Amino acid sequence: MPGIEAVCADTARSFGRHTHGQFGLGLIARGAQKSASGRGMVEAGAGDLITVNPGEVHDGMPLDANGRAWRMLYLDPALVAGLVADIAGGWHASVFEFTRPALRDPRLAAGFQTLFAALTAPGADADELAAEQGLMLLLRDLLQAKVPDTRGVPAGIAAARARMDDDPAATPALAELAREAGLGRYQFLRGFARATGLTPHAYLVQRRLQRARRLIGHGLPLADASAACGFADQSHMTRAFVRSFGLTPGAYARSAG
């Protein structure tokens, strides 16, 4: 289905703190892992569902040397918005989120496995009706209304974040961002990390990676994607891509082709 990426992984790799531009919904098939999430550190083992929201800072590491295996679906926010609008009778998808980064529910796990099989079946065996139905039912059970954060993000921090969102290929200096936010450099650094979960540089790298992933998925050559996203060169992009996503840009391009 358009707007969905399916990933299978079996690895002992540890992933550093990173974000995705999509909703993530997956199932641990073997082993176990622990990960930071928007709700603190969580653990998930075989049979557990795992979720992540767009922009949520998380990481992941196996509990032992045997690693773990998982299946994951990454859902574009626009796809989720359309489905949630049907489920919730017109509510906007931005007020919904996954609230359980790890959960054990055999019924939902079975629903995920059915959905994953329907989405990844070979062409003639694909069942779009089963996939769309299964996805809508899972979202109904897993997405919850989001309580607005009344504390908000300071205007200066929000402006700096928006600037990086709009042009991740740019390379602003810390002093420049702090000055525009009306803060000292250290105040800005601390405030930005508190608001986003990442330092300004780490946040900028994640935004570059998310743009690179989209461009590569649409067929742009790797060298061109690297230049368009502000990386020093293709090897720089590759190292950052592997740290966050566990595969090289070339492997991702082949899978998306």
Side-chain angles (χ1 to χ4, degrees):
M1 290 175 62
I4 300 178
E5 289 183 358
V7 175
C8 292
D10 191 328
T11 180
R13 174 185 293 277
S14 292
F15 295 85
R17 291 162 66 84
H18 65 283
T19 64
H20 296 277
Q22 306 127 306
F23 289 91
L25 173 59
L27 178 73
I28 302 291
R30 180 190 65 77
Q33 71 169 19
K34 62 179 179 179
S35 59
S37 74
R39 285 168 171 75
M41 189 66 68
V42 297
E43 293 187 2
D48 289 345
L49 288 170
I50 52 176
T51 67
V52 65
N53 294 297
E56 182 178 359
V57 179
H58 61 290
D59 58 16
M61 58 210 74
L63 293 187
D64 58 41
N66 294 319
R68 72 288 196 210
W70 69 89
R71 297 171 181 172
M72 202 81 185
L73 296 173
Y74 291 103
L75 314 172
D76 284 355
L79 171 68
V80 174
L83 293 172
V84 169
D86 284 345
I87 295 168
W91 281 60
H92 197 276
S94 65
V95 301
F96 284 82
E97 65 178 356
F98 291 129
T99 59
R100 292 172 288 177
L103 66 148
R104 178 166 292 266
D105 186 314
R107 179 182 64 84
L108 295 181
F112 175 86
Q113 293 190 74
T114 300
L115 168 62
F116 197 92
L119 286 168
T120 57
D125 297 324
D127 191 335
E128 185 172 344
L129 175 59
E132 189 171 4
Q133 172 182 295
L135 179 56
M136 183 169 286
L137 293 176
L138 276 175
L139 292 179
R140 178 201 63 188
D141 291 338
L142 291 171
L143 284 174
Q144 295 185 20
K146 181 178 180 180
V147 177
D149 185 353
T150 57
R151 297 170 299 173
V153 176
I157 300 296
R161 184 176 63 185
R163 174 176 172 176
M164 286 186 270
D165 290 343
D166 292 341
D167 188 11
T171 55
L174 179 61
E176 180 184 355
L177 292 171
R179 183 174 60 253
E180 292 180 358
L183 299 169
R185 287 176 295 176
Y186 180 70
Q187 288 178 309
F188 174 76
L189 184 62
R190 183 176 60 180
F192 193 95
R194 183 183 299 119
T196 68
L198 296 169
T199 64
H201 180 261
Y203 183 87
L204 184 62
V205 171
Q206 289 301 310
R207 297 302 294 165
R208 288 174 176 175
L209 286 171
Q210 289 163 20
R211 175 174 286 187
R213 185 168 172 160
R214 288 196 301 272
L215 294 175
I216 293 168
H218 289 135
L220 192 69
L222 301 187
D224 293 342
S226 172
C229 296
F231 290 101
D233 51 38
Q234 186 175 325
S235 63
H236 180 207
M237 178 183 71
T238 296
R239 291 192 297 272
F241 204 97
V242 171
R243 281 196 300 270
S244 286
F245 305 131
L247 74 168
T248 66
Y252 180 73
R254 290 190 294 274
S255 70

